């Protein structure tokens, strides 16, 4: 058991290093968003793509629970899904994000009828593959990346949204909530990963999943920056 924990801790350390070396937490879109206000029509096009990501992810993640034998992994992934859907006490997080957008004068179209940018389609397709088709270990490695880079993402989006006029503080509950709970999400997937890291083959799959989702996410942010600067 001790060797398994050590292996999991090593995987987590390597994933954190991959995230740092990728530059995702300092990506060009964050810099563009925080530099100066963008036209509302550009914001709408940009965040149609982001909304597609956050709207579909809880559904995709929910599919993992039925695919694993390990009850710790099932529990931790299910807890994240419940959290993303409002924990039975509040709005789903994607609804909160729509309210944040409305606070700065942007209302999205129905994500089910919108033609999304190729980078957004690629990200969601990769998430579906990693979480629903590959070995579950791929998805756990991928999920660790998503939660680990989540806090810097929220901070950068929040700082960008603050550049616009007309919003009230309650409009931005999406950001305030995530600043508070993102550490919980990281803790849950941390536990799931430690439970998954049973041997060398498992660790390799965890790292492959992390690397593949990291590539798709970096392409996604580059796509958003392409739209924002066109």
């Amino acid at each position: 058991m001790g060797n398994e924990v050590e292996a999991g801790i090593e995987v987590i350390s390597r994933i954190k290093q991959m995230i740092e070396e990728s530059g995702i937490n300092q990506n060009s879109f964050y810099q563009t968003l925080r530099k100066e206000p963008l036209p509302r029509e550009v914001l709408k096009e940009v965040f149609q793509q982001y909304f597609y990501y956050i709207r579909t992810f809880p559904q995709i993640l929910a599919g993992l629970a039925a695919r694993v034998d390990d009850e710790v992994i099932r529990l931790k992934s299910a807890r994240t899904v419940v959290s993303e859907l409002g924990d039975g006490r509040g709005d789903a997080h994607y609804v909160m994000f729509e309210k944040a957008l409305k606070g700065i004068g942007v209302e999205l179209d129905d994500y089910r009828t919108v033609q999304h940018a190729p980078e957004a389609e690629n990200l969601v397709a990769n998430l579906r593959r990693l979480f629903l088709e590959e070995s579950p270990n791929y998805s756990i490695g991928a999920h660790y990346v998503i939660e680990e880079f989540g806090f810097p993402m929220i901070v950068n989006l929040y700082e960008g949204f603050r550049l616009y006029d007309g919003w009230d503080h309650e409009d931005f509950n999406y950001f305030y909530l995530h600043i508070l709970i993102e550490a919980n999400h990281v803790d849950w997937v941390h536990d799931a990963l430690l439970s998954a890291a049973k041997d060398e083959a498992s660790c390799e799959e965890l790292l492959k999943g992390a690397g593949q989702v990291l590539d798709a996410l970096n392409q996604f942010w580059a796509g958003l920056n392409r739209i924002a600067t066109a």
Side-chain angles (χ1 to χ4, degrees):
M1 182 65 178
N3 289 338
E4 292 177 9
V5 172
E6 290 177 8
I9 291 172
E10 174 62 24
V11 169
I12 288 170
S13 177
R14 289 179 63 183
I15 292 175
K16 287 181 177 180
Q17 183 179 2
M18 290 163 60
I19 293 170
E20 181 62 29
E21 291 176 352
S22 77
I24 194 170
N25 291 331
Q26 300 84 31
N27 69 69
S28 56
F29 174 69
Y30 292 168
Q31 297 173 39
T32 296
L33 185 68
R34 296 181 61 164
K35 183 179 180 182
E36 59 187 5
L38 298 169
R40 293 304 197 274
E41 62 272 17
V42 175
L43 278 179
K44 178 177 179 178
E45 178 63 19
V46 164
F47 286 111
Q48 282 284 174
Q49 319 310 319
Y50 178 77
F51 184 79
Y52 184 41
Y53 164 41
I54 66 169
R55 179 65 181 86
T56 55
F57 181 63
Q59 179 185 18
I60 294 169
L61 178 59
L64 173 64
R67 301 183 63 230
V68 296
D69 296 323
D70 188 305
E71 299 299 347
V72 171
I73 297 172
R74 196 188 323 277
L75 171 64
K76 299 301 181 177
S77 62
R79 288 189 75 177
T80 305
V81 172
V82 170
S83 176
E84 288 290 336
L85 295 179
D87 211 14
R89 296 192 295 268
D91 290 330
H93 294 179
Y94 65 84
V95 174
M96 296 175 71
F97 183 71
E98 287 183 292
K99 291 180 178 178
L101 278 175
K102 287 179 181 178
I104 60 172
V106 175
E107 188 161 356
L108 298 179
D109 297 326
D110 188 334
Y111 81 100
R112 294 166 294 187
T113 60
V114 169
Q115 183 173 355
H116 293 99
E119 296 90 348
E121 292 284 5
N122 179 67
L123 174 59
V124 172
N126 271 284
L127 291 174
R128 287 179 174 141
R129 175 182 61 81
L130 288 165
F131 283 79
L132 304 177
E133 298 175 15
E134 301 283 6
S135 159
N137 290 329
Y138 280 73
S139 65
I140 297 162
H143 191 194
Y144 192 91
V145 169
I146 289 169
E147 300 300 349
E148 180 66 31
F149 99 105
F151 183 81
M153 178 191 77
I154 289 296
V155 170
N156 277 283
L157 295 183
Y158 173 64
E159 292 298 335
F161 272 55
R162 288 180 62 202
L163 298 178
Y164 298 88
D165 297 325
W167 55 272
D168 296 317
H169 282 289
E170 56 266 27
D171 296 329
F172 284 2
N173 283 335
Y174 173 79
F175 301 112
Y176 307 144
L177 176 66
H178 279 83
I179 288 170
L180 290 173
I181 69 168
E182 202 60 48
N184 291 337
H185 287 200
V186 173
D187 287 344
W188 296 337
V189 72
H190 175 278
D191 293 344
L193 191 149
L194 290 183
S195 190
K198 298 185 181 304
D199 51 37
E200 185 175 345
S202 299
C203 292
E204 188 65 27
E205 289 181 340
L206 291 164
L207 290 168
K208 285 182 178 178
Q212 290 174 23
V213 85
L214 192 52
D215 287 344
L217 283 163
N218 271 306
Q219 292 173 36
F220 174 73
W221 294 118
L224 265 58
N225 196 56
R226 173 182 59 79
I227 297 168
T229 58

